[in-house]
Every structure is written in structure tokens, then in C-alpha cells.
Amino acid sequence: MRDIVENGQAILRYSHGMELGDYVRNNLVKDACERCFSRLSEASVKLGPLAEELFPSHNWNGIRNFGNILRHDYPDVLDDVLWAAISQHLPRLLAELETFLAKYPDDQETL
């Protein structure tokens, strides 16, 4: 779960202060965000059904599949879809995960 938070925070740092047009024109930021989304997606796979149990308001199936899309169908990934994930969905997800994880020591690896 901490991998999801760490990669999500990195995405938000990389894209901080940007609008969609800025994001689209900055290939370095786009590539970095896509890589972090791939790792975030893989971490959500490892989290398994616990994700739905603890945080049912998020589309975990979509999050898990997003990594496959980025790896295999990357030419078809639309910038506005990625930007929506960054600007709308990711902040909510991170807020919930960070609140949950605050109850546990930083070095605790399992719940």
C-alpha cells in the first residue's frame, strides 16, 4: 500500500502546477508519470482484494488494468485520460490511503 502512496505522490510532484496542455507538451513528465502509474498499478495487484475491502469507493479493477494498458497499449493511451487520473482520481485515493496508513508505523510492511 505504501508503494501506491509513494508512486502517487511522485506523480503529483512531477505534475505539480501543470494544466493538461503543460502535461501534454512535457514528455519527460508524461513518461515519469506513466512509469509511476505502472508501479502503482502493480502494487494494487499485490494488495489484492484487501483494496476493495478497505477502500471500496475506488475502481481497483481499473487501477490494476491501467498498468497493462500502459505496458501494452501505450500508443492508444489518451493524454486527457491520464490527466484525469492525475488531477481528479489520484488525490482522493492518496488522501484515503495516507489517512489509513497514518495509524501504522512507517516501517510496518504488513497490516
Side-chain angles (χ1 to χ4, degrees):
M1 193 176 313
R2 292 190 195 285
D3 288 341
I4 295 171
V5 171
E6 288 172 11
N7 282 283
Q9 288 172 340
I11 291 167
L12 294 181
R13 276 194 316 275
Y14 300 153
S15 61
H16 180 74
M18 290 185 157
E19 307 246 349
L20 174 60
D22 304 318
Y23 175 79
V24 169
R25 289 185 296 276
N26 193 322
N27 287 330
L28 184 64
V29 170
K30 283 175 49 175
D31 288 347
C33 290
E34 287 179 18
R35 178 68 177 126
C36 287
F37 268 123
S38 291
R39 289 192 298 251
L40 186 153
S41 173
E42 184 59 29
S44 72
V45 169
K46 291 178 182 177
L47 190 55
L50 184 61
E52 283 89 358
E53 291 174 33
L54 294 174
F55 311 102
S57 66
H58 299 282
N59 179 1
W60 290 101
N61 203 29
I63 294 169
R64 291 181 188 108
N65 289 332
F66 199 38
N68 286 330
I69 292 167
L70 290 171
R71 283 187 292 278
H72 303 290
D73 296 325
Y74 56 89
D76 297 326
V77 176
L78 300 175
D79 291 328
D80 58 337
V81 171
L82 272 166
W83 187 251
I86 292 169
S87 61
Q88 297 169 21
H89 305 293
L90 189 57
R92 266 190 24 248
L93 174 65
L94 292 181
E96 286 187 41
L97 294 178
E98 289 167 347
T99 299
F100 178 82
L101 288 171
K103 303 175 206 171
Y104 301 93
D106 289 343
D107 60 348
Q108 184 173 341
E109 293 187 24
T110 59
L111 302 177

